[in-house]
């Protein structure tokens, strides 16, 4: 399971301490491996492209507002499944919490879906 945190004064400060605590309770007595990686937020240009092209073109074609289209895409492509009380639940991720690499993958999924399922072409940023 991934948990976001910041390093301040040589200490790890978790953004969702309660969620982490709940998860750690489940692992009580277990041996674990911890991996720390730097979170590289997506670029401003990538964000502009997402909102002005990737979300806007299909929203206009389908009669949605941009925020509605954004929500549809997140629910379809930007989620993870977690086991909670023996049941799998779908957790929708925020685009503000993903890296540039994850954002590019997400946009590629949207572009493929739009052309194949909706007949809406989304041009590349340089087009």
């Amino acid at each position: 399971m991934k948990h976001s945190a910041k390093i301040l004064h040589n200490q790890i400060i978790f953004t969702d301490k309660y969620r982490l605590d709940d998860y750690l309770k489940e692992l009580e007595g277990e041996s674990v491996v911890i991996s720390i990686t730097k979170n590289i937020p997506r670029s401003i240009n990538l964000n502009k492209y997402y909102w002005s092209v990737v979300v806007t073109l299909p929203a206009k074609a389908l009669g949605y507002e941009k925020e509605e289209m954004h929500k549809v895409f997140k629910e379809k492509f930007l989620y993870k499944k977690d086991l909670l009380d023996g049941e799998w639940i779908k957790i929708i991720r925020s685009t503000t919490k993903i890296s540039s690499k994850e954002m590019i993958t997400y946009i590629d999924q949207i572009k493929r879906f739009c052309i194949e399922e909706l007949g809406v072409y989304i041009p590349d940023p340089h087009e």
Side-chain angles (χ1 to χ4, degrees):
M1 175 172 277
K2 289 184 180 181
H3 290 275
S4 297
K6 285 192 182 240
I7 308 296
L8 295 173
H9 307 292
N10 227 16
Q11 293 185 350
I12 301 173
I13 310 300
F14 291 95
T15 54
D16 191 346
K17 178 90 169 84
Y18 298 109
R19 184 169 161 251
L20 176 62
D21 287 345
D22 288 343
Y23 187 63
L24 292 176
K25 286 175 190 172
E26 294 174 24
L27 298 172
E28 183 66 34
E30 299 288 333
S31 180
V32 299
V33 174
I34 296 173
S35 174
I36 298 174
T37 57
K38 184 176 178 180
N39 184 29
I40 302 168
R42 67 182 192 271
S43 71
I44 293 170
N45 286 340
L46 192 56
N47 193 52
K48 281 183 188 176
Y49 170 65
Y50 175 72
W51 283 102
S52 64
V53 179
V54 176
V55 171
T56 300
L57 292 179
K60 284 182 179 177
L62 300 173
Y64 283 102
E65 295 294 323
K66 287 196 291 188
E67 279 296 330
E68 292 173 311
M69 196 82 258
H70 171 64
K71 185 178 179 191
V72 168
F73 288 149
K74 284 193 330 176
E75 289 175 358
K76 184 158 186 64
F77 301 112
L78 201 60
Y79 67 89
K80 64 179 183 170
K81 290 191 174 183
D82 266 346
L83 193 58
L84 181 67
D85 296 330
E87 233 180 280
W88 286 101
I89 59 167
K90 189 176 184 179
I91 299 171
I92 308 301
R93 298 176 66 201
S94 170
T95 56
T96 62
K97 304 289 185 198
I98 63 176
S99 68
S100 289
K101 183 178 177 182
E102 290 171 308
M103 188 69 171
I104 290 167
T105 299
Y106 171 59
I107 288 171
D108 286 344
Q109 290 173 317
I110 293 169
K111 289 172 67 175
R112 194 169 27 261
F113 170 77
C114 284
I115 195 65
E116 291 174 1
E117 302 295 325
L118 306 176
V120 176
Y121 174 72
I122 299 174
D124 289 334
H126 60 276
E127 286 185 54

